[in-house]
PDB file of all heavy atoms in Angstrom:
ATOM      1  N   LYS A 507      -9.131   3.860   9.395  1.00 96.00           N
ATOM      2  CA  LYS A 507      -8.785   3.699  10.810  1.00 96.00           C
ATOM      3  C   LYS A 507      -7.387   4.227  11.113  1.00 96.00           C
ATOM      4  O   LYS A 507      -6.948   4.173  12.261  1.00 96.00           O
ATOM      5  CB  LYS A 507      -8.860   2.226  11.206  1.00 96.00           C
ATOM      6  CG  LYS A 507     -10.259   1.656  11.152  1.00 96.00           C
ATOM      7  CD  LYS A 507     -10.261   0.219  11.595  1.00 96.00           C
ATOM      8  CE  LYS A 507     -11.667  -0.351  11.559  1.00 96.00           C
ATOM      9  NZ  LYS A 507     -11.671  -1.767  11.951  1.00 96.00           N
ATOM     10  N   ASN A 508      -6.673   4.676  10.085  1.00 96.00           N
ATOM     11  CA  ASN A 508      -5.309   5.203  10.207  1.00 96.00           C
ATOM     12  C   ASN A 508      -4.371   4.148  10.805  1.00 96.00           C
ATOM     13  O   ASN A 508      -3.570   4.439  11.685  1.00 96.00           O
ATOM     14  CB  ASN A 508      -5.301   6.491  11.031  1.00 96.00           C
ATOM     15  CG  ASN A 508      -4.107   7.351  10.699  1.00 96.00           C
ATOM     16  OD1 ASN A 508      -3.510   7.221   9.639  1.00 96.00           O
ATOM     17  ND2 ASN A 508      -3.741   8.221  11.607  1.00 96.00           N
ATOM     18  N   ARG A 509      -4.480   2.925  10.300  1.00 96.00           N
ATOM     19  CA  ARG A 509      -3.660   1.818  10.780  1.00 96.00           C
ATOM     20  C   ARG A 509      -3.028   1.064   9.618  1.00 96.00           C
ATOM     21  O   ARG A 509      -3.531   1.114   8.496  1.00 96.00           O
ATOM     22  CB  ARG A 509      -4.490   0.846  11.619  1.00 96.00           C
ATOM     23  CG  ARG A 509      -4.977   1.482  12.905  1.00 96.00           C
ATOM     24  CD  ARG A 509      -5.657   0.474  13.797  1.00 96.00           C
ATOM     25  NE  ARG A 509      -5.945   1.061  15.092  1.00 96.00           N
ATOM     26  CZ  ARG A 509      -5.139   0.981  16.141  1.00 96.00           C
ATOM     27  NH1 ARG A 509      -4.006   0.345  16.065  1.00 96.00           N
ATOM     28  NH2 ARG A 509      -5.471   1.546  17.285  1.00 96.00           N
ATOM     29  N   VAL A 510      -1.919   0.374   9.904  1.00 97.00           N
ATOM     30  CA  VAL A 510      -1.244  -0.448   8.899  1.00 97.00           C
ATOM     31  C   VAL A 510      -0.931  -1.818   9.490  1.00 97.00           C
ATOM     32  O   VAL A 510      -0.687  -1.948  10.682  1.00 97.00           O
ATOM     33  CB  VAL A 510       0.062   0.206   8.387  1.00 97.00           C
ATOM     34  CG1 VAL A 510      -0.230   1.437   7.569  1.00 97.00           C
ATOM     35  CG2 VAL A 510       1.001   0.542   9.517  1.00 97.00           C
ATOM     36  N   LEU A 511      -0.937  -2.831   8.628  1.00 96.00           N
ATOM     37  CA  LEU A 511      -0.590  -4.186   9.016  1.00 96.00           C
ATOM     38  C   LEU A 511       0.816  -4.452   8.498  1.00 96.00           C
ATOM     39  O   LEU A 511       1.053  -4.412   7.295  1.00 96.00           O
ATOM     40  CB  LEU A 511      -1.580  -5.183   8.404  1.00 96.00           C
ATOM     41  CG  LEU A 511      -1.456  -6.632   8.814  1.00 96.00           C
ATOM     42  CD1 LEU A 511      -1.789  -6.786  10.295  1.00 96.00           C
ATOM     43  CD2 LEU A 511      -2.382  -7.486   7.991  1.00 96.00           C
ATOM     44  N   VAL A 512       1.773  -4.673   9.415  1.00 96.00           N
ATOM     45  CA  VAL A 512       3.169  -4.847   9.055  1.00 96.00           C
ATOM     46  C   VAL A 512       3.591  -6.287   9.338  1.00 96.00           C
ATOM     47  O   VAL A 512       3.295  -6.830  10.409  1.00 96.00           O
ATOM     48  CB  VAL A 512       4.069  -3.862   9.834  1.00 96.00           C
ATOM     49  CG1 VAL A 512       5.523  -3.999   9.413  1.00 96.00           C
ATOM     50  CG2 VAL A 512       3.606  -2.430   9.616  1.00 96.00           C
ATOM     51  N   GLU A 513       4.287  -6.882   8.387  1.00 95.00           N
ATOM     52  CA  GLU A 513       4.735  -8.269   8.500  1.00 95.00           C
ATOM     53  C   GLU A 513       5.699  -8.443   9.678  1.00 95.00           C
ATOM     54  O   GLU A 513       6.687  -7.736   9.790  1.00 95.00           O
ATOM     55  CB  GLU A 513       5.442  -8.650   7.195  1.00 95.00           C
ATOM     56  CG  GLU A 513       5.897 -10.064   7.090  1.00 95.00           C
ATOM     57  CD  GLU A 513       6.533 -10.348   5.745  1.00 95.00           C
ATOM     58  OE1 GLU A 513       7.264  -9.488   5.230  1.00 95.00           O
ATOM     59  OE2 GLU A 513       6.284 -11.439   5.226  1.00 95.00           O
ATOM     60  N   GLY A 514       5.380  -9.361  10.575  1.00 93.00           N
ATOM     61  CA  GLY A 514       6.247  -9.670  11.699  1.00 93.00           C
ATOM     62  C   GLY A 514       6.176  -8.705  12.873  1.00 93.00           C
ATOM     63  O   GLY A 514       6.945  -8.816  13.817  1.00 93.00           O
ATOM     64  N   VAL A 515       5.261  -7.754  12.824  1.00 93.00           N
ATOM     65  CA  VAL A 515       5.130  -6.760  13.889  1.00 93.00           C
ATOM     66  C   VAL A 515       3.751  -6.905  14.527  1.00 93.00           C
ATOM     67  O   VAL A 515       2.758  -7.131  13.845  1.00 93.00           O
ATOM     68  CB  VAL A 515       5.315  -5.337  13.327  1.00 93.00           C
ATOM     69  CG1 VAL A 515       5.061  -4.289  14.385  1.00 93.00           C
ATOM     70  CG2 VAL A 515       6.697  -5.176  12.748  1.00 93.00           C
ATOM     71  N   ASN A 516       3.701  -6.764  15.854  1.00 94.00           N
ATOM     72  CA  ASN A 516       2.458  -6.863  16.628  1.00 94.00           C
ATOM     73  C   ASN A 516       1.797  -8.228  16.437  1.00 94.00           C
ATOM     74  O   ASN A 516       0.600  -8.337  16.192  1.00 94.00           O
ATOM     75  CB  ASN A 516       1.487  -5.733  16.258  1.00 94.00           C
ATOM     76  CG  ASN A 516       0.482  -5.455  17.335  1.00 94.00           C
ATOM     77  OD1 ASN A 516       0.690  -5.768  18.491  1.00 94.00           O
ATOM     78  ND2 ASN A 516      -0.634  -4.861  16.957  1.00 94.00           N
ATOM     79  N   VAL A 517       2.593  -9.278  16.590  1.00 94.00           N
ATOM     80  CA  VAL A 517       2.100 -10.648  16.452  1.00 94.00           C
ATOM     81  C   VAL A 517       1.548 -11.102  17.800  1.00 94.00           C
ATOM     82  O   VAL A 517       2.210 -10.987  18.824  1.00 94.00           O
ATOM     83  CB  VAL A 517       3.230 -11.590  15.994  1.00 94.00           C
ATOM     84  CG1 VAL A 517       2.734 -13.018  15.893  1.00 94.00           C
ATOM     85  CG2 VAL A 517       3.789 -11.130  14.662  1.00 94.00           C
ATOM     86  N   MET A 518       0.323 -11.607  17.781  1.00 94.00           N
ATOM     87  CA  MET A 518      -0.326 -12.061  19.004  1.00 94.00           C
ATOM     88  C   MET A 518      -0.868 -13.466  18.812  1.00 94.00           C
ATOM     89  O   MET A 518      -1.126 -13.888  17.686  1.00 94.00           O
ATOM     90  CB  MET A 518      -1.478 -11.126  19.368  1.00 94.00           C
ATOM     91  CG  MET A 518      -1.059  -9.740  19.711  1.00 94.00           C
ATOM     92  SD  MET A 518      -2.481  -8.793  20.213  1.00 94.00           S
ATOM     93  CE  MET A 518      -1.779  -7.169  20.244  1.00 94.00           C
ATOM     94  N   SER A 519      -1.044 -14.175  19.916  1.00 94.00           N
ATOM     95  CA  SER A 519      -1.639 -15.506  19.884  1.00 94.00           C
ATOM     96  C   SER A 519      -3.148 -15.378  19.960  1.00 94.00           C
ATOM     97  O   SER A 519      -3.678 -14.553  20.703  1.00 94.00           O
ATOM     98  CB  SER A 519      -1.150 -16.342  21.056  1.00 94.00           C
ATOM     99  OG  SER A 519       0.227 -16.507  20.984  1.00 94.00           O
ATOM    100  N   LYS A 520      -3.830 -16.211  19.191  1.00 91.00           N
ATOM    101  CA  LYS A 520      -5.291 -16.171  19.169  1.00 91.00           C
ATOM    102  C   LYS A 520      -5.810 -17.594  19.324  1.00 91.00           C
ATOM    103  O   LYS A 520      -5.361 -18.505  18.630  1.00 91.00           O
ATOM    104  CB  LYS A 520      -5.760 -15.566  17.852  1.00 91.00           C
ATOM    105  CG  LYS A 520      -7.236 -15.322  17.776  1.00 91.00           C
ATOM    106  CD  LYS A 520      -7.530 -14.358  16.651  1.00 91.00           C
ATOM    107  CE  LYS A 520      -9.009 -14.168  16.415  1.00 91.00           C
ATOM    108  NZ  LYS A 520      -9.698 -13.582  17.523  1.00 91.00           N
ATOM    109  N   ALA A 521      -6.722 -17.798  20.247  1.00 92.00           N
ATOM    110  CA  ALA A 521      -7.292 -19.118  20.482  1.00 92.00           C
ATOM    111  C   ALA A 521      -8.329 -19.440  19.420  1.00 92.00           C
ATOM    112  O   ALA A 521      -9.130 -18.583  19.033  1.00 92.00           O
ATOM    113  CB  ALA A 521      -7.927 -19.170  21.862  1.00 92.00           C
ATOM    114  N   LEU A 522      -8.292 -20.673  18.922  1.00 91.00           N
ATOM    115  CA  LEU A 522      -9.272 -21.124  17.939  1.00 91.00           C
ATOM    116  C   LEU A 522     -10.259 -22.072  18.612  1.00 91.00           C
ATOM    117  O   LEU A 522      -9.867 -22.997  19.319  1.00 91.00           O
ATOM    118  CB  LEU A 522      -8.577 -21.855  16.800  1.00 91.00           C
ATOM    119  CG  LEU A 522      -7.694 -21.023  15.899  1.00 91.00           C
ATOM    120  CD1 LEU A 522      -7.006 -21.918  14.878  1.00 91.00           C
ATOM    121  CD2 LEU A 522      -8.498 -19.965  15.195  1.00 91.00           C
ATOM    122  N   ARG A 523     -11.517 -21.831  18.365  1.00 92.00           N
ATOM    123  CA  ARG A 523     -12.576 -22.682  18.913  1.00 92.00           C
ATOM    124  C   ARG A 523     -12.655 -23.975  18.097  1.00 92.00           C
ATOM    125  O   ARG A 523     -12.346 -23.993  16.917  1.00 92.00           O
ATOM    126  CB  ARG A 523     -13.891 -21.922  18.831  1.00 92.00           C
ATOM    127  CG  ARG A 523     -15.078 -22.683  19.343  1.00 92.00           C
ATOM    128  CD  ARG A 523     -16.254 -21.781  19.484  1.00 92.00           C
ATOM    129  NE  ARG A 523     -16.147 -21.149  20.803  1.00 92.00           N
ATOM    130  CZ  ARG A 523     -17.038 -20.317  21.297  1.00 92.00           C
ATOM    131  NH1 ARG A 523     -18.077 -19.963  20.596  1.00 92.00           N
ATOM    132  NH2 ARG A 523     -16.887 -19.802  22.486  1.00 92.00           N
ATOM    133  N   LYS A 524     -13.095 -25.037  18.704  1.00 93.00           N
ATOM    134  CA  LYS A 524     -13.275 -26.293  17.988  1.00 93.00           C
ATOM    135  C   LYS A 524     -14.330 -26.120  16.903  1.00 93.00           C
ATOM    136  O   LYS A 524     -15.353 -25.469  17.112  1.00 93.00           O
ATOM    137  CB  LYS A 524     -13.722 -27.396  18.941  1.00 93.00           C
ATOM    138  CG  LYS A 524     -12.676 -27.816  19.929  1.00 93.00           C
ATOM    139  CD  LYS A 524     -13.210 -28.914  20.813  1.00 93.00           C
ATOM    140  CE  LYS A 524     -12.206 -29.312  21.862  1.00 93.00           C
ATOM    141  NZ  LYS A 524     -12.707 -30.355  22.752  1.00 93.00           N
ATOM    142  N   SER A 525     -14.060 -26.703  15.734  1.00 91.00           N
ATOM    143  CA  SER A 525     -15.018 -26.646  14.629  1.00 91.00           C
ATOM    144  C   SER A 525     -14.768 -27.847  13.723  1.00 91.00           C
ATOM    145  O   SER A 525     -13.850 -28.634  13.948  1.00 91.00           O
ATOM    146  CB  SER A 525     -14.841 -25.343  13.845  1.00 91.00           C
ATOM    147  OG  SER A 525     -13.583 -25.328  13.213  1.00 91.00           O
ATOM    148  N   GLN A 526     -15.547 -27.971  12.666  1.00 91.00           N
ATOM    149  CA  GLN A 526     -15.336 -29.068  11.727  1.00 91.00           C
ATOM    150  C   GLN A 526     -14.000 -28.920  11.006  1.00 91.00           C
ATOM    151  O   GLN A 526     -13.325 -29.904  10.734  1.00 91.00           O
ATOM    152  CB  GLN A 526     -16.477 -29.126  10.711  1.00 91.00           C
ATOM    153  CG  GLN A 526     -17.761 -29.685  11.276  1.00 91.00           C
ATOM    154  CD  GLN A 526     -18.836 -29.811  10.227  1.00 91.00           C
ATOM    155  OE1 GLN A 526     -18.787 -29.164   9.191  1.00 91.00           O
ATOM    156  NE2 GLN A 526     -19.830 -30.657  10.510  1.00 91.00           N
ATOM    157  N   ASP A 527     -13.628 -27.681  10.691  1.00 87.00           N
ATOM    158  CA  ASP A 527     -12.351 -27.435  10.021  1.00 87.00           C
ATOM    159  C   ASP A 527     -11.174 -27.686  10.955  1.00 87.00           C
ATOM    160  O   ASP A 527     -10.111 -28.120  10.524  1.00 87.00           O
ATOM    161  CB  ASP A 527     -12.281 -25.983   9.516  1.00 87.00           C
ATOM    162  CG  ASP A 527     -13.324 -25.701   8.456  1.00 87.00           C
ATOM    163  OD1 ASP A 527     -13.764 -26.663   7.799  1.00 87.00           O
ATOM    164  OD2 ASP A 527     -13.681 -24.521   8.279  1.00 87.00           O
ATOM    165  N   ASN A 528     -11.363 -27.386  12.232  1.00 86.00           N
ATOM    166  CA  ASN A 528     -10.304 -27.530  13.227  1.00 86.00           C
ATOM    167  C   ASN A 528     -10.862 -28.293  14.429  1.00 86.00           C
ATOM    168  O   ASN A 528     -11.227 -27.705  15.431  1.00 86.00           O
ATOM    169  CB  ASN A 528      -9.819 -26.127  13.638  1.00 86.00           C
ATOM    170  CG  ASN A 528      -8.547 -26.177  14.413  1.00 86.00           C
ATOM    171  OD1 ASN A 528      -7.938 -27.230  14.562  1.00 86.00           O
ATOM    172  ND2 ASN A 528      -8.144 -25.045  14.934  1.00 86.00           N
ATOM    173  N   PRO A 529     -10.931 -29.645  14.330  1.00 90.00           N
ATOM    174  CA  PRO A 529     -11.603 -30.419  15.384  1.00 90.00           C
ATOM    175  C   PRO A 529     -10.935 -30.366  16.757  1.00 90.00           C
ATOM    176  O   PRO A 529     -11.596 -30.553  17.764  1.00 90.00           O
ATOM    177  CB  PRO A 529     -11.584 -31.853  14.836  1.00 90.00           C
ATOM    178  CG  PRO A 529     -10.595 -31.865  13.737  1.00 90.00           C
ATOM    179  CD  PRO A 529     -10.451 -30.462  13.243  1.00 90.00           C
ATOM    180  N   LYS A 530      -9.636 -30.083  16.812  1.00 90.00           N
ATOM    181  CA  LYS A 530      -8.952 -30.018  18.097  1.00 90.00           C
ATOM    182  C   LYS A 530      -8.955 -28.620  18.713  1.00 90.00           C
ATOM    183  O   LYS A 530      -8.654 -28.454  19.889  1.00 90.00           O
ATOM    184  CB  LYS A 530      -7.499 -30.464  17.940  1.00 90.00           C
ATOM    185  CG  LYS A 530      -7.320 -31.959  17.835  1.00 90.00           C
ATOM    186  CD  LYS A 530      -5.869 -32.286  17.835  1.00 90.00           C
ATOM    187  CE  LYS A 530      -5.621 -33.555  18.602  1.00 90.00           C
ATOM    188  NZ  LYS A 530      -4.204 -33.839  18.745  1.00 90.00           N
ATOM    189  N   GLY A 531      -9.243 -27.598  17.928  1.00 90.00           N
ATOM    190  CA  GLY A 531      -9.105 -26.231  18.419  1.00 90.00           C
ATOM    191  C   GLY A 531      -7.643 -25.871  18.419  1.00 90.00           C
ATOM    192  O   GLY A 531      -6.872 -26.351  17.599  1.00 90.00           O
ATOM    193  N   GLY A 532      -7.203 -25.018  19.339  1.00 91.00           N
ATOM    194  CA  GLY A 532      -5.789 -24.707  19.453  1.00 91.00           C
ATOM    195  C   GLY A 532      -5.502 -23.227  19.467  1.00 91.00           C
ATOM    196  O   GLY A 532      -6.402 -22.399  19.610  1.00 91.00           O
ATOM    197  N   VAL A 533      -4.210 -22.914  19.295  1.00 91.00           N
ATOM    198  CA  VAL A 533      -3.751 -21.530  19.328  1.00 91.00           C
ATOM    199  C   VAL A 533      -2.991 -21.236  18.041  1.00 91.00           C
ATOM    200  O   VAL A 533      -2.191 -22.043  17.574  1.00 91.00           O
ATOM    201  CB  VAL A 533      -2.832 -21.292  20.552  1.00 91.00           C
ATOM    202  CG1 VAL A 533      -2.308 -19.877  20.563  1.00 91.00           C
ATOM    203  CG2 VAL A 533      -3.575 -21.597  21.831  1.00 91.00           C
ATOM    204  N   THR A 534      -3.248 -20.081  17.457  1.00 90.00           N
ATOM    205  CA  THR A 534      -2.544 -19.650  16.259  1.00 90.00           C
ATOM    206  C   THR A 534      -1.975 -18.259  16.493  1.00 90.00           C
ATOM    207  O   THR A 534      -2.453 -17.531  17.362  1.00 90.00           O
ATOM    208  CB  THR A 534      -3.474 -19.664  15.032  1.00 90.00           C
ATOM    209  OG1 THR A 534      -2.725 -19.339  13.875  1.00 90.00           O
ATOM    210  CG2 THR A 534      -4.614 -18.669  15.166  1.00 90.00           C
ATOM    211  N   THR A 535      -0.941 -17.896  15.733  1.00 93.00           N
ATOM    212  CA  THR A 535      -0.396 -16.538  15.836  1.00 93.00           C
ATOM    213  C   THR A 535      -0.874 -15.725  14.647  1.00 93.00           C
ATOM    214  O   THR A 535      -1.009 -16.247  13.545  1.00 93.00           O
ATOM    215  CB  THR A 535       1.142 -16.552  15.872  1.00 93.00           C
ATOM    216  OG1 THR A 535       1.620 -17.222  14.715  1.00 93.00           O
ATOM    217  CG2 THR A 535       1.655 -17.242  17.113  1.00 93.00           C
ATOM    218  N   LYS A 536      -1.120 -14.446  14.895  1.00 92.00           N
ATOM    219  CA  LYS A 536      -1.684 -13.577  13.874  1.00 92.00           C
ATOM    220  C   LYS A 536      -1.131 -12.167  14.060  1.00 92.00           C
ATOM    221  O   LYS A 536      -0.917 -11.730  15.192  1.00 92.00           O
ATOM    222  CB  LYS A 536      -3.212 -13.582  14.031  1.00 92.00           C
ATOM    223  CG  LYS A 536      -3.957 -12.817  12.983  1.00 92.00           C
ATOM    224  CD  LYS A 536      -5.454 -12.911  13.214  1.00 92.00           C
ATOM    225  CE  LYS A 536      -6.182 -12.064  12.201  1.00 92.00           C
ATOM    226  NZ  LYS A 536      -7.612 -11.987  12.448  1.00 92.00           N
ATOM    227  N   GLU A 537      -0.898 -11.467  12.940  1.00 94.00           N
ATOM    228  CA  GLU A 537      -0.444 -10.081  13.002  1.00 94.00           C
ATOM    229  C   GLU A 537      -1.660  -9.164  13.100  1.00 94.00           C
ATOM    230  O   GLU A 537      -2.651  -9.369  12.412  1.00 94.00           O
ATOM    231  CB  GLU A 537       0.361  -9.734  11.748  1.00 94.00           C
ATOM    232  CG  GLU A 537       1.676 -10.466  11.687  1.00 94.00           C
ATOM    233  CD  GLU A 537       2.094 -10.824  10.278  1.00 94.00           C
ATOM    234  OE1 GLU A 537       1.235 -10.837   9.378  1.00 94.00           O
ATOM    235  OE2 GLU A 537       3.275 -11.116  10.098  1.00 94.00           O
ATOM    236  N   PHE A 538      -1.547  -8.149  13.963  1.00 95.00           N
ATOM    237  CA  PHE A 538      -2.616  -7.174  14.117  1.00 95.00           C
ATOM    238  C   PHE A 538      -2.118  -5.797  13.693  1.00 95.00           C
ATOM    239  O   PHE A 538      -0.922  -5.511  13.792  1.00 95.00           O
ATOM    240  CB  PHE A 538      -3.090  -7.151  15.579  1.00 95.00           C
ATOM    241  CG  PHE A 538      -3.917  -8.343  15.948  1.00 95.00           C
ATOM    242  CD1 PHE A 538      -3.321  -9.522  16.369  1.00 95.00           C
ATOM    243  CD2 PHE A 538      -5.296  -8.288  15.854  1.00 95.00           C
ATOM    244  CE1 PHE A 538      -4.079 -10.633  16.696  1.00 95.00           C
ATOM    245  CE2 PHE A 538      -6.073  -9.392  16.190  1.00 95.00           C
ATOM    246  CZ  PHE A 538      -5.464 -10.558  16.601  1.00 95.00           C
ATOM    247  N   PRO A 539      -3.015  -4.931  13.212  1.00 96.00           N
ATOM    248  CA  PRO A 539      -2.605  -3.601  12.739  1.00 96.00           C
ATOM    249  C   PRO A 539      -2.064  -2.714  13.861  1.00 96.00           C
ATOM    250  O   PRO A 539      -2.441  -2.864  15.021  1.00 96.00           O
ATOM    251  CB  PRO A 539      -3.884  -2.995  12.167  1.00 96.00           C
ATOM    252  CG  PRO A 539      -4.890  -4.072  12.118  1.00 96.00           C
ATOM    253  CD  PRO A 539      -4.442  -5.167  13.024  1.00 96.00           C
TER     254      PRO A 539
END
Side-chain angles (χ1 to χ4, degrees):
K507 294 182 179 178
N508 204 21
R509 294 187 172 267
V510 291
L511 186 66
V512 183
E513 184 178 39
V515 175
N516 202 22
V517 178
M518 295 184 191
S519 298
K520 187 163 174 63
L522 292 176
R523 179 168 274 182
K524 292 181 183 179
S525 66
Q526 285 184 339
D527 296 336
N528 193 6
K530 283 186 143 186
V533 178
T534 185
T535 57
K536 185 179 176 186
E537 292 146 341
F538 286 86

